[in-house]
Amino acid sequence: MSTSTSYKDAGVDIDAAQRAVDMMKSAVQATYTPGVLADVGSFGGLYALENLPSQPVLVASTDGVGTKVKLAADLGRWQGIGHDIVNHCVNDILVQNARPLFFLDYIAASKLVPEAIAEVVTGVAEACLAAGCALLAGETAEMPGVYAEGAFDLAGTVVGLVDQAQLWPRTKDMQAGDQVIGLPSSGPHTNGYSFIRRTVAEQDLNQVLADGQTLAAARLAPHRCHENEIEALLEAGVEIKGLAHLTGGGFVANIPRVLPDSLVAEIDTN
């Protein structure tokens, strides 16, 4: 009886990881802004800070896509969750009035499938390009024995910039009578998918809904980025004193996070 001593026999395929990098490389490079100083393959991403405001503040956020990755894996539809992770993180720093500089992603699985990894990262790159930030660096990890067979996870970090004088929320300027405006979502975004997967478990995901899309497409609709909408409001002269990103805790948990103790929000759900 012989004992295997190769890395591949232990369940980790370095060649598969390299194939994934080769497949995603052009999509990543397309996101590079003038501040990017290192190409794909560097040990660390390099980003030159230029044209800084008088009081520069770096704003960072890290998040994941939650169990939406399970639904994406079951359906073999990967690209949308790449948009999910970027847009979720960008919205998190947008509520503090920061604009993204660069993004880093992390993908882990029981077994790396190069085509799936490349599709996810292509989605990440597309969302970065739309948000005007560079996909600066990332990591893929094949970890059999840590992740269940077929399991997959995706996380990301965004770093943005804002002038300290322009930070939101401006709680001292808020007062009774200020208007609360809601921006529409594209669906559940990246929240509540343990519950959602349970509710659709016995349903036909190929069924066509009233709006013409399938149930699968509706459930996998990417998290919407609100950067362009906020820019449009500012350009229209709307004075924004604060924003709340409505994620897992919904209205009740998230809106109070940006209000002074003396105020509560009154929401017309119609």
Side-chain angles (χ1 to χ4, degrees):
M1 179 177 180
S2 62
T3 301
S4 172
T5 57
S6 75
Y7 205 12
K8 188 171 184 179
D9 288 340
V12 180
D13 189 344
I14 297 297
D15 292 336
Q18 186 57 51
R19 288 198 303 275
V21 171
D22 293 341
M23 293 169 68
M24 69 179 77
K25 187 173 183 178
S26 61
V28 174
Q29 290 172 326
T31 72
Y32 285 176
T33 58
V36 178
L37 302 181
D39 201 358
V40 175
S42 299
F43 283 98
L46 301 178
Y47 193 91
L49 294 172
E50 300 175 340
N51 302 316
L52 297 177
S54 58
Q55 294 180 290
V57 176
L58 293 175
V59 184
S61 178
T62 295
D63 220 310
V65 183
T67 61
K68 191 172 185 178
V69 294
K70 172 64 173 170
L71 185 59
D74 290 345
L75 294 171
R77 299 174 61 170
W78 304 102
Q79 203 157 343
I81 62 171
H83 288 255
D84 280 318
I85 189 61
V86 174
N87 294 343
H88 187 125
C89 289
V90 168
N91 284 347
D92 272 349
I93 66 168
L94 183 62
V95 300
Q96 292 167 292
N97 204 17
R99 299 302 182 274
L101 296 173
F102 57 83
F103 192 85
L104 305 98
D105 62 359
Y106 175 77
I107 301 171
S110 60
K111 181 177 176 60
L112 293 182
V113 178
E115 293 76 12
I117 300 299
E119 192 173 340
V120 172
V121 176
T122 296
V124 170
E126 289 172 348
C128 284
L129 196 61
C133 70
L135 179 50
L136 191 63
E139 169 71 349
T140 57
E142 189 170 49
M143 298 193 290
V146 175
Y147 286 89
E149 186 175 350
F152 183 93
D153 200 12
L154 172 65
T157 298
V158 69
V159 175
L161 179 70
V162 64
D163 191 320
Q164 187 171 340
Q166 301 299 320
L167 276 168
W168 293 334
R170 292 163 31 209
T171 54
K172 293 182 179 179
D173 296 334
M174 295 179 182
Q175 56 188 342
D178 282 348
Q179 188 72 38
V180 178
I181 299 173
L183 299 177
S185 71
S186 53
H189 282 180
T190 55
N191 304 289
Y193 272 83
S194 294
F195 173 73
I196 290 169
R197 287 188 300 108
R198 182 177 179 182
T199 61
V200 302
E202 303 301 325
Q203 298 186 41
D204 178 10
L205 292 176
N206 293 315
Q207 64 180 287
V208 179
L209 305 178
D211 61 1
Q213 64 179 332
T214 64
L215 179 58
R219 294 289 69 84
L220 287 176
H223 197 116
R224 184 172 180 172
C225 182
H226 293 293
E227 188 175 10
N228 289 338
E229 293 162 305
I230 297 305
E231 294 291 355
L233 288 169
L234 292 172
E235 290 174 5
V238 176
E239 181 186 11
I240 297 175
K241 299 178 182 180
L243 294 175
H245 187 197
L246 300 187
T247 53
F251 285 16
V252 175
N254 289 295
I255 295 176
R257 295 168 65 180
V258 298
L259 298 179
D261 292 339
S262 59
L263 294 176
V264 297
E266 194 172 291
I267 307 295
D268 179 0
T269 56
N270 292 319

